[in-house]
Amino acid sequence: VQLVESGGGLVQAGGSLRLSCTASGSTLDYYAIGWFRQAPGKEREGVSCISSSGGRTSYTDSVKGRFTISRDNAKNTVYLQMDSLKPEDTAVYYCATALMAFPTSCLIGREFYDTWGQGTQVTVSS
């Protein structure tokens, strides 16, 4: 499977962006999908994940209540709706796939994910 992220850009603090992660070469139906981000000089961190069933989601504390992950298997795409953006959300955002033990499983740790997209830049100005 190949992943392509899109939807990044420059936005003012308080604004919104919707990132897309579109797959080709394979269906995403059986994969949990994670969103990660990496700011300059920092480690790549998990932001959110969604189980293959779509029934379970998880968020890192810093984005809870502001970001929403969703998936549309018919379009082979996962979305990350980002609202109330802050300058500290500035980073390159990546999506990745993971095969979890159960369709309701969703874990944010990097170690669970093996196929990654190339990333999309999100810049939030103050």
Side-chain angles (χ1 to χ4, degrees):
V1 59
Q2 293 80 43
L3 302 174
V4 177
E5 302 94 337
S6 61
L10 173 63
V11 64
Q12 288 188 331
S16 298
L17 285 172
R18 187 177 79 157
L19 305 184
S20 298
C21 172
T22 301
S24 61
S26 177
T27 177
L28 287 181
D29 290 6
Y30 306 109
Y31 293 96
I33 304 298
W35 280 100
F36 297 79
R37 64 186 180 187
Q38 188 166 18
K42 295 189 176 181
E43 294 285 322
R44 190 171 298 188
E45 65 168 341
V47 174
S48 181
C49 64
I50 186 166
S51 64
S52 61
S53 69
R56 181 179 177 89
T57 59
S58 185
Y59 301 90
T60 193
D61 286 346
S62 62
V63 307
K64 283 180 181 177
R66 299 189 297 122
F67 289 11
T68 304
I69 191 170
S70 62
R71 65 190 299 155
D72 184 341
N73 285 353
K75 295 183 178 180
N76 229 20
T77 299
V78 175
Y79 304 100
L80 185 68
Q81 177 67 42
M82 306 187 296
D83 298 318
S84 302
L85 283 162
K86 304 176 180 180
E88 51 264 43
D89 294 318
T90 295
V92 178
Y93 283 71
Y94 302 87
C95 63
T97 63
L99 284 172
M100 299 285 176
F102 303 100
T104 54
S105 295
C106 168
L107 297 168
I108 291 183
R110 283 182 59 185
E111 63 272 24
F112 300 105
Y113 295 82
D114 46 23
T115 298
W116 295 77
Q118 84 292 344
T120 185
Q121 176 71 47
V122 171
T123 303
V124 184
S125 63
S126 57

